[in-house]
Amino acid sequence: MVVCAARDLAGEGATAIDLFSGTGSTSVALACSFAVTSVDVQEYSRVMCSALIEEGSPIVDDRVFLDRWASFKEGLLCRYGRLVSYEQGILGSPDENAGELSSIIEHGCLLAMDGMASPELSGLMRESLVTPLPDGLTDTIVRYYGGTYFSYLQAVELSAACSAARTFDGWQRDRYLASVICAASHCGSTVGGQFAQPLRTVDRRGLVKTKTIRKATACRAKSVSRATMSALEEIDALRKPGPHNTAIRAECREWLREQKPRADVIYADPPYSRYHYSRYYHVLETIARGDSPDITPNPATGRPSRGMYRAGRYQSPFSTRGGASGAFEELFVGCSASAPALVLSYSPYPSDRPSTPRMITIDDLTALAKQSYRHVDVVKVDDITHSKLTKKESFLETSETAELMILCRN
Ligand SMILES: C[S@@+](CC[C@H](N)C(=O)[O-])C[C@H]1O[C@@H](n2cnc3c(N)ncnc32)[C@H](O)[C@@H]1O
C-alpha cells in the first residue's frame, strides 16, 4: 500500500527515503522499486535496515560465527555456569519452584543487586560477580538483563552472540547483530513481546502469579541459537540489497537540514502516541550499540530502575504534545526541500483507547502540510498491515491497524 502510494507519487522516479524506518519492513518493501535511504534515530533500526537493504554477501556458511559464538559462550559460563545451572534446575519443575523463579525475575538482576533475592540466589549472584571474567569477554547483556528479561542461559547466549558478531566488520556485523536483535525480541520474558516493562510475578497481596510464571517458563524455554539461526535465514530470504541503498542513524529533521538529501519520494512513519519507542526497544538498542549504558535510577530508591532503561534514552518530540506541532512543521519544510513528494502515515485518534491519545489532530497535521506543499490529500487505509518486531514466530509479522496516509506533492 505504502509502496503503491510512493510509486504513484514518484512517477518515473527511482529514489526513496524511509524516515522513521524502525524494523526496516517498509524499507525492504520500498527497495523492490527504489534505491532506498533508511533513517531512524535508533541504532537498532540502522542495524536492521543495513542487514535488510545494504549490499554485502552472506559468508558462504556461518560456521566461523558459530565457532566464535561457542567459544565466547564457554568463556562466559566460567563465570555464570553455576547461576545458569541453578535456574535451569528450577525451570525443570517450575510449578514447584514458582517462588524461586519469581525471585529470579524480580530480584535476579546482577547490576541492581537489590538484596531482596532468595538466600540461595543471592549467594550465587555474589559468587558470579567475584569470579573473574576471562580476558576479552563482555557480559553486559547478562549483568543488565539476565534474570529480569532473559533466563541467565539465554542472556549468556545473547551476550556471546553479540561478541561473536562484533568480530566481523561492516555489513557482515550488521547481519549477525540483526539476527541477535530478532532472537532477543523473540525470546524475552516480557509483556507484549517488547521491553517496556519486566513481567510482574507477584500480586498486590504478595502472592506469586501462577499464570505469569507459566508464561515466563515458556519464554525461557526458547532457544536463542535456534531463534538466531532462523532470523538469519529470514533476513537472507527477505533482503533486497541495492548498490545505492543505505541505512543511517540520525534525528530525521537534523539529517534533512544538514545533509540536504535529494530523492523522488519520502515515506515518513512518525510515532503518534505519547509512548516513546526508546522505552520499548532499549534492550535491542544496547545489543545494537554494544555499550554498557548508565541506567535511569528509580527516583524513590536511587537504585537502577526495575525496567533497566538506558539513561538519556531518546525522547521524541513527535511523542509529546508540546513538541509535535513544531516537529511536524520542521519535518514538512525539510521533506519538501528534499523531494517533490511525501507519503506520511498517521493513525487517527482511537476513540476506543483514550489512554493513547494522538499528539496532533489530522486537521492540524494537514494544515501544517499545506504550508509546505501545494497538494495535500488524506487517504484512509483500512486494515493496512504494519510490521512489528515482536511476538510469535516471525520477527517481521503484522498487525491490523486502521491508519491514514497523507499524500503531499509540490
Ligand atoms: C512508528 S515507528 C516506525 C515503524 C516503521 N515504519 C516499521 O516498519 O517498523 C516510529 C520510529 O520513529 C523513530 N523516531 C522517533 N523520533 C524520531 C526522530 N526525531 N528522528 C528519527 N527517528 C525517530 C523511532 O525510533 C521509531 O523507530
Side-chain angles (χ1 to χ4, degrees):
M1 195 72 195
V2 164
V3 180
C4 292
R7 255 199 251 119
D8 280 355
L9 288 186
E12 295 301 302
T15 52
I17 297 171
D18 180 13
L19 290 181
F20 311 96
S21 52
T23 60
S25 60
T26 311
S27 289
V28 167
L30 287 167
C32 297
S33 307
F34 298 95
V36 178
T37 302
S38 309
V39 183
D40 196 286
V41 77
Q42 302 283 338
E43 176 66 3
Y44 89 83
S45 169
R46 189 205 62 73
V47 168
M48 289 298 303
C49 292
S50 160
L52 288 166
I53 64 164
E54 286 191 355
E55 278 209 319
S57 353
I59 290 170
V60 182
D61 75 45
D62 292 307
R63 231 173 301 164
V64 180
F65 169 66
L66 293 176
D67 287 349
R68 291 177 191 172
W69 183 358
S71 117
F72 284 123
K73 178 178 164 184
E74 209 179 296
L76 286 171
L77 285 174
C78 295
R79 178 179 243 200
Y80 294 111
R82 275 170 46 84
L83 197 53
V84 165
S85 303
Y86 167 72
E87 187 185 20
Q88 291 305 302
I90 284 169
L91 290 169
S93 36
D95 286 346
E96 287 142 51
N97 296 307
E100 284 296 320
L101 185 51
S102 165
S103 183
I104 291 175
I105 294 168
E106 299 290 337
H107 308 295
C109 173
L110 290 146
L111 191 74
M113 284 294 270
D114 65 8
M116 291 163 74
S118 68
E120 192 173 1
L121 177 59
S122 292
L124 286 166
M125 287 166 77
R126 269 197 302 274
E127 181 191 295
S128 297
L129 291 180
V130 295
T131 307
L133 191 65
D135 280 351
L137 285 184
T138 51
D139 63 349
T140 303
I141 305 300
V142 188
R143 283 185 299 112
Y144 281 52
Y145 311 122
T148 313
Y149 287 118
F150 304 108
S151 73
Y152 294 118
L153 177 61
Q154 289 172 329
V156 161
E157 290 187 326
L158 288 166
S159 227
C162 289
S163 299
R166 288 187 185 285
T167 61
F168 295 85
D169 292 321
W171 179 83
Q172 298 289 357
R173 170 187 289 203
D174 288 339
R175 171 176 174 265
Y176 286 127
L177 279 179
S179 69
V180 180
I181 285 171
C182 295
S185 172
H186 175 75
C187 296
S189 307
T190 56
V191 177
Q194 22 76 356
F195 299 90
Q197 54 180 312
L199 295 175
R200 275 223 181 266
T201 59
V202 180
D203 68 16
R204 287 211 190 111
R205 295 164 300 163
L207 299 175
V208 173
K209 298 196 229 166
T210 319
K211 241 171 116 181
T212 310
I213 290 295
R214 293 218 175 108
K215 179 182 165 58
T217 307
C219 295
R220 278 159 204 245
K222 292 181 184 171
S223 151
V224 167
S225 54
R226 219 171 301 129
T228 305
M229 296 319 286
S230 92
L232 272 179
E233 264 176 41
E234 199 167 354
I235 289 167
D236 291 348
L238 280 175
R239 58 188 249 96
K240 291 279 175 291
H244 303 294
N245 291 347
T246 171
I248 291 166
R249 164 156 65 112
E251 198 287 318
C252 63
R253 295 160 305 154
E254 234 172 79
W255 179 75
L256 289 167
R257 201 170 49 241
E258 285 167 12
Q259 301 300 318
K260 303 189 178 12
R262 296 297 316 161
D264 297 303
V265 62
I266 295 178
Y267 171 64
D269 184 13
Y272 37 70
S273 82
R274 64 191 158 95
Y275 301 115
H276 290 280
Y277 277 77
S278 56
R279 176 154 179 247
Y280 290 79
Y281 294 133
H282 60 108
V283 173
L284 309 184
E285 189 66 4
T286 302
I287 290 175
R289 290 198 196 198
D291 60 357
S292 301
D294 288 340
I295 296 298
T296 47
N298 174 332
T301 62
R303 305 191 65 83
S305 55
R306 185 170 178 271
M308 299 300 289
Y309 307 119
R310 298 171 61 89
R313 70 188 165 78
Y314 183 67
Q315 306 285 304
S316 182
F318 294 93
S319 290
T320 66
R321 269 199 197 289
S325 177
F328 274 110
E329 189 173 359
E330 236 187 291
L331 182 72
F332 288 128
V333 169
C335 287
S336 65
S338 283
L342 166 71
V343 179
L344 182 110
S345 284
Y346 209 69
S347 171
Y349 188 88
S351 50
D352 56 332
R353 278 210 248 150
S355 61
T356 50
R358 301 311 179 226
M359 297 298 108
I360 185 166
T361 64
I362 297 297
D363 285 349
D364 287 348
L365 204 49
T366 47
L368 287 175
K370 281 176 183 163
Q371 291 175 11
S372 293
Y373 292 93
R374 260 184 287 159
H375 308 280
V376 175
D377 297 302
V378 180
V379 186
K380 201 165 174 196
V381 186
D382 278 324
D383 296 332
I384 190 170
T385 54
H386 258 252
S387 129
K388 277 188 181 169
L389 191 78
T390 57
K391 289 196 273 184
K392 292 197 300 191
E393 268 66 66
S394 166
F395 79 103
L396 285 176
E397 102 275 345
T398 58
S399 75
E400 304 290 302
T401 321
E403 177 126 359
L404 295 177
M405 281 198 299
I406 302 179
L407 309 179
C408 310
R409 282 167 299 136
N410 277 337

